[in-house]
Amino acid sequence: MKHFLRVLTQFFVFLYCKCLWRGLKFVARKFTGRCELQRICYNNKHGARRTLKIESSLKFSKNELLQSALSAHPDKVEKTIDDIMALKKINPDTNPQLGISLQASLLQIVGYRNLVAEVEKLRREPYDCENAQHEDMLMKLWKELRPDTPLTGRISKQWCEIGFQGSDPKTDFRGMGLLGLHNLLYFAEHDKAAALQMLHDSLLPKHNEANASEFEPPNVDKAIGYSFAIVGINITDLAYSLLVSGALKTHLYNVAPEMATLPHLQQTFCYLMQEFHRFWIEEDPSDIMEFNRVRAKFQRRVLRQLRDPDAALCPRFSASDLHLVNL
């Protein structure tokens, strides 16, 4: 019975998409004198509400030109908009705002696709200790997080002080490749106060002993519950999964006026790091063995936020002034 109801539901969904929906679109155009793209642009404010609907309209269109618009090269977006206007028989002189709105949304769509490709390339690039650029980034990370403590050697237990698992951090970057290092360094450089505070908190004992000296150095073995760098790589994985699944579209379409770039994702990473830190403290896990549970719960909360078409995880984020952003 359940199987029959499922098949029946699928049939009606198919019927709606193939017949009724197209009929409704035809009636709406005749009644309003506007095509679907016009109605979307005129009835929705700029951002995710408009761009997601335009993306869906183009994706499910039967016209090859409209479908191909989703994969247009950024340099060809303006011509693509002209072709769409001509196809829909829309006069650009009497509808000047339509072309501007379509172009902004289409740039967001192709920008998101290009960002996914760029991020995937970084994720697939392994850390190479023979690469001078990779080594330089790693040394910069140490200097940003431990400015007053010289590193005794490239292979050193000191790396555990900033949350790596062993004497050589390169082994911890395997899952996220260079993307993890890029994100950690961005956080340390662009939101240094927050990064240093998180690192400091992660090294504090979970329960302060009454007789402990105020100036007693933190005991890494009694840390509050997580290793800073490892959590950064793990939150990189979270940001990556949100990006490739499309869940981040609402946020990025709302904060990036046109094409989202890597710094947009890195700023989102900074936000996720700080929010996870607060969430971890609220959850008060007994030990690090609860990390996966807390992370999964945190991810579900972020996903709920992103289902809101007006979602902006970093509401004060300014795409045109990245270097001044401080969450």
Side-chain angles (χ1 to χ4, degrees):
M1 184 64 179
K2 289 183 178 179
H3 177 70
F4 172 75
L5 290 175
R6 188 182 302 114
V7 172
L8 189 63
T9 301
Q10 291 174 346
F11 171 75
F12 279 112
V13 169
F14 173 81
L15 189 66
Y16 174 78
C17 293
K18 290 294 183 180
C19 304
L20 183 58
W21 175 240
R22 297 191 187 281
L24 289 174
K25 286 172 62 177
F26 176 79
V27 172
R29 173 149 194 172
K30 290 298 182 181
F31 183 74
T32 64
R34 294 174 176 175
C35 69
E36 184 179 38
L37 291 176
Q38 285 176 296
R39 296 194 300 274
I40 292 173
C41 288
Y42 291 143
N43 297 332
N44 296 275
K45 65 180 182 179
H46 176 64
R49 284 187 179 272
R50 178 191 295 168
T51 301
L52 287 171
K53 290 179 180 179
I54 287 176
E55 189 171 15
S56 178
S57 177
L58 295 175
K59 180 180 179 180
F60 293 106
S61 173
K62 291 195 300 182
N63 187 282
E64 291 185 7
L65 170 63
L66 297 181
Q67 289 180 355
S68 65
L70 295 173
S71 57
H73 188 277
D75 295 339
K76 301 292 184 181
V77 166
E78 190 172 348
K79 183 182 183 304
T80 300
I81 298 302
D82 290 339
D83 292 342
I84 291 175
M85 299 277 278
L87 175 69
K88 295 294 184 179
K89 297 181 173 60
I90 301 171
N91 188 337
D93 296 328
T94 57
N95 296 271
Q97 188 57 44
L98 178 64
I100 295 173
S101 298
L102 281 175
Q103 183 171 332
S105 289
L106 194 55
L107 281 171
Q108 288 186 319
I109 293 167
V110 300
Y112 193 95
R113 183 197 68 220
N114 290 349
L115 176 59
V116 171
E118 181 181 5
V119 167
E120 183 63 30
K121 183 178 179 181
L122 281 175
R123 188 189 71 85
R124 288 178 176 273
E125 184 175 358
Y127 184 91
D128 182 5
C129 57
E130 300 298 324
N131 187 309
Q133 185 179 7
H134 296 187
E135 289 284 286
D136 184 55
M137 289 175 63
L138 186 60
M139 293 303 110
K140 282 182 180 178
L141 179 64
W142 174 267
K143 290 176 183 177
E144 291 292 340
L145 296 175
R146 279 285 184 263
D148 301 323
T149 306
L151 189 63
T152 58
R154 168 61 180 80
I155 308 297
S156 169
K157 283 290 185 182
Q158 285 179 287
W159 290 111
C160 296
E161 294 177 23
I162 62 173
F164 286 102
Q165 290 181 325
S167 301
D168 191 352
K170 75 173 185 180
T171 59
D172 293 326
F173 291 120
R174 287 173 182 165
M176 286 289 108
L178 273 193
L179 183 62
L181 178 55
H182 272 275
N183 281 352
L184 282 168
L185 184 57
Y186 185 94
F187 188 29
E189 289 182 328
H190 292 79
D191 213 343
K192 190 168 185 175
L196 290 176
Q197 185 62 54
M198 280 186 63
L199 176 60
H200 173 267
D201 291 349
S202 73
L203 295 174
L204 289 175
K206 187 171 179 61
H207 301 291
N208 292 321
E209 298 176 7
N211 58 352
S213 169
E214 181 181 354
F215 301 103
E216 182 180 354
N219 183 344
V220 177
D221 295 331
K222 291 174 61 181
I224 191 172
Y226 66 75
S227 301
F228 176 82
I230 296 301
V231 166
I233 294 171
N234 206 285
I235 297 301
T236 291
D237 176 70
L238 172 58
Y240 167 78
S241 66
L242 292 174
L243 179 73
V244 298
S245 70
L248 268 185
K249 285 182 178 180
T250 48
H251 165 66
L252 291 178
Y253 287 169
N254 283 327
V255 301
E258 291 186 344
M259 294 182 65
T261 58
L262 184 60
H264 290 90
L265 181 66
Q266 291 173 319
Q267 194 62 43
T268 305
F269 167 79
C270 294
Y271 168 84
L272 291 173
M273 281 287 284
Q274 293 176 75
E275 286 300 299
F276 179 80
H277 179 65
R278 296 187 188 100
F279 189 76
W280 179 267
I281 293 172
E282 290 172 7
E283 288 291 301
D284 192 27
S286 58
D287 54 44
I288 193 61
M289 299 304 292
E290 290 194 70
F291 181 84
N292 288 337
R293 177 190 66 80
V294 176
R295 182 195 184 277
K297 189 174 179 180
F298 176 70
Q299 182 170 351
R300 289 194 296 271
R301 191 181 76 167
V302 174
L303 284 170
R304 284 196 298 271
Q305 288 179 265
L306 291 171
R307 291 192 189 105
D308 180 359
D310 296 319
L313 297 180
C314 320
R316 287 185 285 171
F317 177 79
S318 172
S320 61
D321 205 8
L322 285 171
H323 65 286
L324 293 180
V325 174
N326 191 324
L327 295 174

